[in-house]
Amino acid sequence: IVLELLREAMISKLGNTKGFLIDGYPQELKEAEEFENKIGEPKFVLCLDCSAETMSSRLLVRNQSSQHSDSAETIKDGIESYYQASKAMTEYYERKTQLSKVN
C-alpha cells in the first residue's frame, strides 16, 4: 500500500519536479527491491547514520514532550530491530555506490 501511494504521488508531480526525497522508505531490502521493480532505481540514497545512544536519547526526549510512553528498554529494542532490518538494505545500496552516509 505504501509503495502504491508513493508511486501515485510521484507520478502526479513528475512535470513539476527535478526529483523526490522520500523520508524513511525503504527500510528493508525487500522494500528496496520492490521500489526498484515498481518505480525505478534511485539515483541517490542518503543514510543518516546515527548511534544507538543518540537515537535513544532523542526518543526519550520526544517521550517527555508528547504522549509517547515508550520505556528505555522498548526504545532500545526498537532501535536494535531497526538496525537489523535496515542492514541488508544499506549494504545493498553501498554495493551499488548509490549510498551516501551522513553522520
Side-chain angles (χ1 to χ4, degrees):
I1 293 173
V2 171
L3 188 56
E4 190 58 35
L5 291 171
L6 276 173
R7 184 177 174 277
E8 288 175 15
M10 292 171 77
I11 288 172
S12 74
K13 301 291 184 188
L14 277 177
N16 302 328
T17 186
K18 295 179 182 178
F20 299 94
L21 175 63
I22 302 170
D23 181 17
Y25 187 87
Q27 290 186 2
E28 298 179 9
L29 180 56
K30 180 181 174 188
E31 293 172 341
E33 292 169 340
E34 289 174 355
F35 182 91
E36 289 184 10
N37 287 334
K38 294 184 179 180
I39 295 177
E41 189 172 309
K43 291 185 169 113
F44 182 75
V45 176
L46 179 65
C47 175
L48 301 179
D49 195 16
C50 182
S51 71
E53 293 79 21
T54 298
M55 281 196 270
S56 180
S57 67
R58 290 180 181 177
L59 290 169
L60 287 169
V61 168
R62 181 189 73 174
N63 279 350
Q64 294 171 354
S65 63
S66 70
Q67 294 182 359
H68 287 85
S69 60
D70 293 334
S71 69
E73 189 62 32
T74 301
I75 288 171
K76 180 182 174 191
D77 291 346
I79 291 169
E80 183 60 33
S81 293
Y82 167 77
Y83 280 135
Q84 290 301 315
S86 64
K87 183 179 179 182
M89 192 237 358
T90 303
E91 290 171 351
Y92 173 74
Y93 283 120
E94 282 178 322
R95 285 190 303 273
K96 293 181 121 190
T97 66
Q98 296 175 337
L99 182 83
S100 179
K101 287 186 177 181
V102 176
N103 187 342

